[in-house]
Each structure stands twice: as C-alpha cells, then as structure tokens.
Amino acid sequence: MTDTRRRVKVYTLNEDRQWDDRGTGHVSSGYVERLKGMSLLVRAESDGSLLLESKINPNTAYQKQQDTLIVWSEAENYDLALSFQEKAGCDEIWEKICQVQGKDPSVDITQELVDESEEERFDDMSSPGLELPPCELGRLEELAELVASSLPSPLRREKLALAVENEGYIRKLLELFRQCEDLENADGLHHLYEIVKGIFLLNRTALFEVMFSEECIMDVIGCLEHDPALGASPRRHRDFLTKTARFKEVIPIGDPELRAKIHQTYRVQYIQDMVLPTPSVFEENMLSTLHSFIFFNKVEIVGMLQDDEKFLTDLFAQLTDEATDDDKRHELVNFLKEFCSFSQTLQPQNRDAFFKTLSNMGILPALEVILGMDDVQVRSAATDIFSYLVEYSPSMVREFVMQECQQNDDDILLINLIIEHMICDTDPELGGAVQLMGLLRTLVDPENMLATANKTEKTEFLSFFYKHCMHVLSAPLLANTTEDKPSKDDFQTSQLLALILELLTFCVEHHTYHIKNYVINKDILRRVLVLTASRHAFLALCALRFMRRIIGLKDEFYNRYIMRNFLFEPVVKAFLNNGTRYNLMNSAIIEMFEYVRVEDVKSLTAHIVENYWKSLEGVDYVQTFKGLKLRYEQQKERQDNPKLDSMRSILRNHRFRRDARTLDDDEEMWFNADEDELEDGEAVVPPSDSKAGKPGGGAGEDEDLMDPISKFMERKKRRSRGGCVTNICLSRYFSLSSGTKHATHERARSCAVPNITQL
C-alpha cells in the first residue's frame, strides 16, 4: 500500500498572489550532488517525474502552518508550499528542515538572517528576545512605535511575533480595544489600528489563528475601523457583517466545524478585500500567509462538502424538483456556482472526483431546467457553472447532449438552449453571447475530441451537431440575408452576426466535409456575402474573412460552387463601392485576389478574368489584377497550344538530374533563376533572328517553335546509335540564344542520359 504520510501537493504563488497547483507526489529529503546539499524532492505519483527539487538553504525562512503546510520563499516573489495529506508526514519533513538549519522543531518558523547590518545583527544576537511593554492604555503609543520600528527588519519581526504569541498579547490588546470604545478614546483607538495592522504584516500563521478565532475576529475588524486617516468618522464594517451580510444556508449544514470554517473564510476574505488598506509593494510580500490562509480554507471547505453525501443529494434533489420555488432555486444556483469556483483550488485528481460526483448527481439535467427559467441572474449563474464543466471536460458535455437527443426534441437540447441564449442576449455589448460563443467553440473543436478503437468522438459529435444544432446557430444569419442588403443593420444585430460568422469560420477551418456539405447545400456563402453591404465595417470584414478561409482551402468543390453562383460579384461590388479609400476593406479584398494569383488557382483565375475584368482593369495602383490577367492569358495560351503546354510541362516537372553527382553552385543558381522566369510567363523558346520581326503566326510559327526540339531529338538518336551518349539539358538549351548554344553544349557533356520516354 502506498505510504500516504509523505503524500503532498506542490503549490507556487503566482503574480496575482494566488496559489497554483503544480501537482501531487511524494516528498523525501536527501543529499543532491548537483545542489551540494540536503534537498527536498517531490516526485509525481502519476509518472515519477520530478515536481520539485529544492535545496534546504540555512538562511531560508520555512514556516509550518495549520499542522499540514510548509511554506517558504526560494527567491524574491517566488513562494512555494507543500500541503501534506497527513500531519505525521509534515512533522517528519519539518524535523529534517530544522535539523539542517540547526533549529528546534517545536518552532513554527525558522529565523531569517537577510539584509541585516553588522551592528544590528550584533545587537539582536546579544539580546535573548524582544521585551514588550505592559499592555496598558498609557503604553499603547510606545507599543505602536515598537511595532513600526520592527517591521523593516526580518529578524526583529520574528522576535516581535514570538513575543506577541508567547505572551498572549493579542487577547490583551482586544480587551484594551473594548475599553477604548467604551471610553470613546480616539487616540487609543488610532494606536490600536496601527498595532493590529502591524501584526498582520508579521505574516505569522499562529497569530492569524488567534485573530481569526470566533471570539476575536469581530474585535480585530473593529480595531481596523479606526484608521487615523479617517479622523472622527470610522468605517462600520462590523455593522455590515452583523446586520447587512446574511449567511444563506440553502441546504442545512449539520457539521458545526464546516459551518464555522465557512463563516471564518468569509470574514477573513472580507478583511483582505475591504478592511485592510491597500498594501504597498513592500507590504504585499508580507501578506503571503494571509493569502495562504484563505486559499487552504477554501480547499478544506470543498473537501468537507464533497464528503457530505447527504448534503449533495439534497442539493440536486431540490434543484430538479418542479415544486421548488424560484427564489429557492436562485439561492441553490448561486451556491452551486460558488461551490464550483472553490473547486478550482483542488488538486487535479480531487477536481476529477469533484466533477464526476456532480455529473453523477445530475448537474447537466439540472442546468437544462435552470437555463429554461426567465430570471436573467439565474441563467447567468447557470452559464458560469456550465463554463466550469466545459472547461473541465468538454467530452463529458458532448456525451450528455448526444444521449439526450435520443429522448428529446431539438428545441430543448442543452446545446440548443445555449445557442438560443447567445442569440437572445439582451446586453447591448453582448457580453453573455461572447462567453457562450467561446463555450460552443470549445465544444466543436476537434482538437479536444477523443478517438478510441471503438468509436471516434469527432465523427459522432459533428454529425450530431450539424443535424440537430447548426440550423439553430445559422437561423439569424439566414433570416437577415434574404435580400441584397441585411434586413436589420443595427449595431447589436451586427455584433451577433459577427459572432456567428466567427464560429462558422472556425468550422470551415476545422470541420472539413461536414461544414462543406452544409455551406454548399444551404448556399451559406451567398447569404454571408450579403453582409458585405452592411454599414458596419467589422461585419463586412467578417464576411470577407469567411470567404477568404474557404478560398484558402483550395478545394475544387468550393471553387465550383463559387463559380456556379458567381459569388465574386458581391466582393467586386463592395470593392468598387469602397472607391479609392485605403482602408481594411480595400486591403482585405485585394489580398483575396492576390492569393488567387500567387497560388495560381486556375479555375478561379479564369472565372474572375472572364466575368469581372472590365470592372477591375482600371485598378493600376496594385499589380494584382493585371497579374491575374497575365495568369489567365498564360493558361489560354497553353490551352491553344497543346504542344507548347507539353513542352512547358517537361521543363517544369521533368527537369533532368545527374545520376552520379549533384549540381554545382553556379548551375543550381541558374536553374533557380530560370524557374522564376518561367513562372513570370516569359518565353521558353526565344524566336530566332529571322523570325523575330515577323507579324502573324499560326501553324508555321508552331512548326518553327518546335523545330529546335525535333533537331535535338534527331541528333540524340544518331549519337545513341554511334555509341557516343551525350545529353544537353533541355531547360538550359532552350533558354539560351543561338549564339550561346555551343558553350552550353560543351558544359553539359558530362550530364547523364535521360529516359527518352520522359520526353
């Protein structure tokens, strides 16, 4: 059986002062040669990889918190924490750390010795501890000055914290606070504010446990109400917590320890967010223990709730019960949302168990009920819960909706409810619709779909989605593009259509034949291009982007669909209507045509020139359209001269290579340059001097054009019969003038014999 005493999870503190879970493993200590010292090692329980390798530095301050946590800083702004499954394992590792540093294992923090002057270090070492003045009203000013003077020094902070802890000073201070409030002693209350704020900055768990106890926490908050900067008008935080804030126990919690932990966490979070003044950069690093206290409290709350089977059973029973009134369901949904947000603090394997528990309890059917309610706030909370589920496991959601379609109509499918809420979002900025579109994109993303030996999730889900859901998603687009211009062209409708187009564009890029069949059968591209007439440039650009992605696939099925329906017509019309303005619309359309030219998409090139050249021939500030015309003419020339087309095919695709050796650098450069010239449409075989000036052409010209080839082939046959085998590289030969043929012939004597059938 695995030893659970050394089982830990590793956390690091991120830039937002939140703890990130780095994994779960087993911790050990030992000498590491590379680090030249005793070190802490954590190996992942899943694959044995090294999660942590940290040398136990004699000058590093380690803190033991809540019996199962060890926290320390490896470098500036880089904090680490080990959370143990069992207290015994934490004690064992703590003893090892204290042994290396020469400390007593009974302490909760090892002393820090950094940035101390020699004089201060001597003074501190010569005194056994820090002596606090008596806790009396007349000595509060002296105590406030002592606390303020100790904060800059790590060693003095440690000694002050030990003195406050050992003498039970916090409870004495809170007794003085109650006296000062009764006497309305403003000066005393101001001194107590500074003292208690300083105690927070001591960053010590043992002090927090006293301050945040049930009997002390409200008085601590009371001390922090009397900020001297506010003068005679203190804040009323206690009034808010006792009179305004109400603990809503939507499901009775029978465990008193769990209830106390929830109350404590809420109040400590309130202190951090609302009561304590905004910390400076220096002070922020001194509050890391407070962040840790809240974080691990949340982890403990989620674990205790998850273990309470009766609680979760009652929760989901009331959520799905039709007799539950709307107010009650509202409270249940908000609780479930908070519960899911707390779960983000769990270790990966615990988070897996958490969401599997929710799935088994029926969270997805419950969300269907909630999303059908009229209350906007309830639906918003349900959307947040749904986002947690999609983020955790999109496959789990996909499996549910595919099973659901076998029993329910399309209108009440969960995924169609999500689409409808996206379409019907009443927010002018469509904040909810943007969130829902992101969730839909995750669900239809093939990258996170599983493939097993028995089934392919991608095929099954996409077939389901295009059959049962795509018509719901595209309904606003089809309804708004029945004419030559959008039926509704207001800002909010345009934003919604832009979101739908963004998702459809994603489908074009990732869904291959499913979206292809849908686009062609439903004539989607023609309807999308109606939006190029929108007065909102962002929507017109979305429509162009959709068409550009289709053309970028270089799929002849799409190309034939475009040509058959003359779908470049609205693009050309939008380009001409844009006039001479140099803007995104202008650039996007030119880039589309430039892509067709550069990629030499022959079918689209011919279609564009034959149908739209008269409209575009006057555009001369770019060479795109003239280049398209040149491409078209080259294609036409090859069609009219099949012999020449055959010759060019030889030159392009069957260029002879040496068998025994590679080309030298000069020859390789020559071939590269020659290929570029061919692509630019220059003549492959230059006319002879006697023919250069002749007008006309026809059959005789074709014979002259092929004459050098015939002579070359005849010469090869004669030489082959005579035993002398020589090859002249065709692409070199026919690219040179007659005056340089002999030099080329001499240079090419060493070339290997080509396969005559290739000619």
Side-chain angles (χ1 to χ4, degrees), residues 406-454:
Q406 299 173 5
Q407 304 170 357
N408 298 332
D409 296 334
D410 289 357
D411 293 342
I412 58 175
L413 294 179
L414 175 60
I415 196 167
N416 283 344
L417 286 175
I418 296 296
I419 295 173
E420 287 172 11
H421 286 313
M422 182 186 84
I423 293 171
C424 301
D425 188 6
T426 56
D427 179 8
E429 298 298 326
L430 295 184
V434 172
Q435 180 187 12
L436 292 172
M437 193 278 290
L439 297 177
L440 289 172
R441 180 169 174 159
T442 302
L443 289 174
V444 301
D445 187 355
E447 295 296 324
N448 60 48
M449 295 183 185
L450 305 175
T452 64
N454 298 326

Side-chain angles (χ1 to χ4, degrees), residues 535-547:
R535 61 190 178 92
H536 298 284
F538 69 86
L539 181 57
L541 290 169
C542 285
L544 288 173
R545 187 184 304 118
F546 181 74
M547 183 174 183

Side-chain angles (χ1 to χ4, degrees), residues 658-676:
R658 303 176 184 179
D659 294 333
R661 61 184 183 86
T662 58
L663 301 176
D664 60 44
D665 292 342
D666 291 339
E667 287 177 312
E668 186 166 335
M669 290 174 62
W670 194 94
F671 277 119
N672 291 337
D674 177 54
E675 188 171 3
D676 292 339

